[in-house]
Amino acid sequence: MEPYELEKTVEAVLGRIFVPLEASGRHVHVTADQAKQLFGHGLTPQRELSQPGQYLAKERLTVAGPKGKFEDVAVLGPERKEAQVEISLTDGRMLGIQPPIRLSGDVKNSPGCTLIGPGGAVELKQGVICAQRHIHLTPEDGRRFAVADKQRVKLQTFTGRPAIFEDVVVRTNADFAAAVHLDYDEANACGFRKGDFGRIIP
Amino acid sequence: MEPYELEKTVEAVLGRIFVPLEASGRHVHVTADQAKQLFGHGLTPQRELSQPGQYLAKERLTVAGPKGKFEDVAVLGPERKEAQVEISLTDGRMLGIQPPIRLSGDVKNSPGCTLIGPGGAVELKQGVICAQRHIHLTPEDGRRFAVADKQRVKLQTFTGRPAIFEDVVVRTNADFAAAVHLDYDEANACGFRKGDFGRIIP
């Protein structure tokens, strides 16, 4: 095989056994209306993310809580129907906010915070969560790993400080690319480095 | 049994099966000479810690790195033969220091930092580490759990975000009290709350 073919083959084999790990830093999702208030215009894509259609916006925000604030926080697009601020529990201590552990989109009765952009500020009544660790898979990946949408599995990490995370939620969608999403507490707890893999234990 | 006896019995039974979890925040150990330079005098005990003889000092320090600093950092006594600064990988990002994962006391060729106290500053050439997760046990506990000093075991946490940490080092000493020491990345990654327990998997 040519070197290029070999590399592709290796990647394909690894992808049948392991799932790439990704660490998600703190970030914000806003509505189209909020983007206007915060920036004076809609979000501008800067870089595509691993999940198709999702992007890192050029715009950045300050996230403020009762005890502290983070400046220059990433904003992810496209705009959503409801704002969501995803932080780690460590971030929560710094802000003075105790986020519940939730899946993305589930912000009901979560704490609020203040978003500050160059064009103005927005007071969120709710929306601050700590993302429940999860695995994005296509339905085909799910069949291959013998796991179903919403199933909770264990995930063994092949990382510097190896760990097995329990209660990792599988999310399948034809638009997804296979990836485990950890927050930075989890990423640091397992010594994650870019390029590391994990193994699903159903 | 009287309520008090029942409680003691329950604690004793739990202690035969589980080990209490403890989260260690960032902290500093200094030498007697450094204490004089930083505070003008030796360390003053404020509160005993779970490990016999160890105490939280009244004195606090600023720890500074190339990218940031932490003020009001805990100092643990008694004074040691060599300084040691224990931080999490998250703390390391904030300071601009990449600490190696090491057992306490193993600071050779680790990065340095600046310590600043009310009496002066001390430049450490080495000493900044991220504490390898570990379990303090008496030799008797060790026999009971069928693990030996320096053995690496798995630890299952019964916590809000359950996890199994691999590569947890057992340390046995007649002066120890049974306790698992996690840093805050690990504590937050497993959703630790005060009073939680873990189970050793040899």
Side-chain angles (χ1 to χ4, degrees):
Chain A
M1 285 189 284
E2 295 298 307
Y4 177 68
E5 275 182 61
L6 176 62
E7 197 177 299
K8 274 186 76 169
T9 307
V10 167
E11 287 299 314
V13 170
L14 286 177
R16 292 288 284 265
I17 305 171
F18 304 114
V19 182
L21 304 181
E22 293 180 3
S24 303
R26 68 185 79 101
H27 65 266
V28 180
H29 300 275
V30 294
T31 68
D33 277 352
Q34 289 165 345
K36 267 206 177 150
Q37 288 177 67
L38 292 160
F39 309 112
H41 52 77
L43 298 177
T44 326
Q46 170 169 306
R47 179 169 62 76
E48 285 195 1
L49 300 176
S50 68
Q51 297 312 310
Q54 304 295 302
Y55 61 83
L56 173 70
K58 283 186 185 158
E59 292 76 17
R60 314 282 291 190
L61 276 179
T62 293
V63 175
K67 282 201 181 171
K69 63 181 177 179
F70 288 111
E71 295 175 351
D72 199 37
V73 176
V75 179
L76 304 192
E79 292 88 347
R80 290 195 176 185
K81 284 190 182 164
E82 187 166 11
Q84 182 169 300
V85 179
E86 295 180 45
I87 63 174
S88 70
L89 296 184
T90 296
D91 291 341
R93 280 175 81 99
M94 309 265 285
L95 294 175
I97 296 172
Q98 281 200 318
I101 314 287
R102 296 275 184 87
L103 284 175
S104 183
D106 179 11
V107 296
K108 202 178 167 189
N109 296 326
S110 60
C113 71
T114 308
L115 304 178
I116 305 155
V122 168
E123 202 67 42
L124 295 185
K125 287 199 180 141
Q126 63 178 30
V128 183
I129 64 169
C130 174
Q132 160 89 38
R133 46 201 180 219
H134 58 277
I135 307 175
H136 291 272
L137 294 175
T138 64
E140 194 190 334
D141 293 326
R143 279 190 292 277
R144 199 182 280 154
F145 290 115
V147 294
D149 190 40
K150 291 176 189 156
Q151 188 177 332
R152 281 163 192 261
V153 298
K154 289 190 177 71
L155 180 93
Q156 182 173 22
T157 71
F158 298 99
T159 49
R161 307 165 96 180
I164 298 166
F165 291 116
E166 302 188 53
D167 260 4
V168 189
V169 178
V170 171
R171 306 184 68 184
T172 66
N173 188 308
D175 290 337
F176 285 166
V180 175
H181 282 185
L182 303 175
D183 69 22
Y184 265 93
D185 287 337
E186 295 161 338
N188 284 331
C190 74
F192 164 79
R193 300 250 174 136
K194 208 169 183 278
D196 285 342
F197 284 88
R199 188 172 70 89
I200 294 173
I201 305 174
Chain B
M1 286 188 283
E2 295 297 305
Y4 177 67
E5 276 182 59
L6 176 61
E7 197 177 297
K8 273 186 79 168
T9 308
V10 167
E11 288 299 314
V13 171
L14 286 177
R16 292 289 284 265
I17 306 170
F18 304 114
V19 183
L21 303 181
E22 294 180 3
S24 304
R26 66 185 81 100
H27 65 268
V28 180
H29 301 276
V30 294
T31 67
D33 277 353
Q34 289 165 347
K36 267 206 178 151
Q37 288 177 65
L38 292 160
F39 309 112
H41 52 78
L43 297 178
T44 326
Q46 171 169 307
R47 179 168 61 77
E48 285 195 1
L49 300 176
S50 69
Q51 297 312 310
Q54 304 295 303
Y55 61 83
L56 173 70
K58 281 187 186 157
E59 292 76 18
R60 314 283 290 190
L61 278 178
T62 294
V63 175
K67 282 199 180 171
K69 64 182 176 178
F70 289 110
E71 295 174 353
D72 200 35
V73 176
V75 179
L76 303 193
E79 291 88 347
R80 290 197 178 184
K81 285 190 181 163
E82 187 165 10
Q84 182 169 300
V85 180
E86 296 181 44
I87 62 173
S88 70
L89 297 183
T90 297
D91 291 341
R93 281 175 80 100
M94 309 266 285
L95 294 175
I97 295 173
Q98 281 201 317
I101 313 289
R102 295 273 184 87
L103 283 176
S104 185
D106 179 11
V107 297
K108 203 179 165 188
N109 296 325
S110 60
C113 71
T114 307
L115 303 180
I116 304 155
V122 167
E123 201 69 41
L124 295 185
K125 285 194 179 144
Q126 62 178 29
V128 183
I129 64 169
C130 175
Q132 161 88 38
R133 46 201 179 219
H134 58 277
I135 307 176
H136 291 272
L137 294 176
T138 65
E140 195 191 331
D141 293 328
R143 280 189 291 277
R144 198 180 281 154
F145 290 117
V147 295
D149 190 41
K150 290 178 188 156
Q151 188 176 332
R152 281 163 191 261
V153 298
K154 290 190 176 73
L155 179 94
Q156 181 173 23
T157 72
F158 298 99
T159 49
R161 307 163 96 181
I164 298 166
F165 290 116
E166 302 189 53
D167 261 4
V168 188
V169 177
V170 171
R171 307 185 68 186
T172 66
N173 188 308
D175 291 337
F176 285 166
V180 175
H181 282 185
L182 303 174
D183 70 20
Y184 264 92
D185 286 337
E186 295 161 337
N188 284 330
C190 74
F192 164 79
R193 301 253 174 133
K194 208 168 182 281
D196 284 343
F197 285 89
R199 188 173 69 89
I200 294 173
I201 305 174

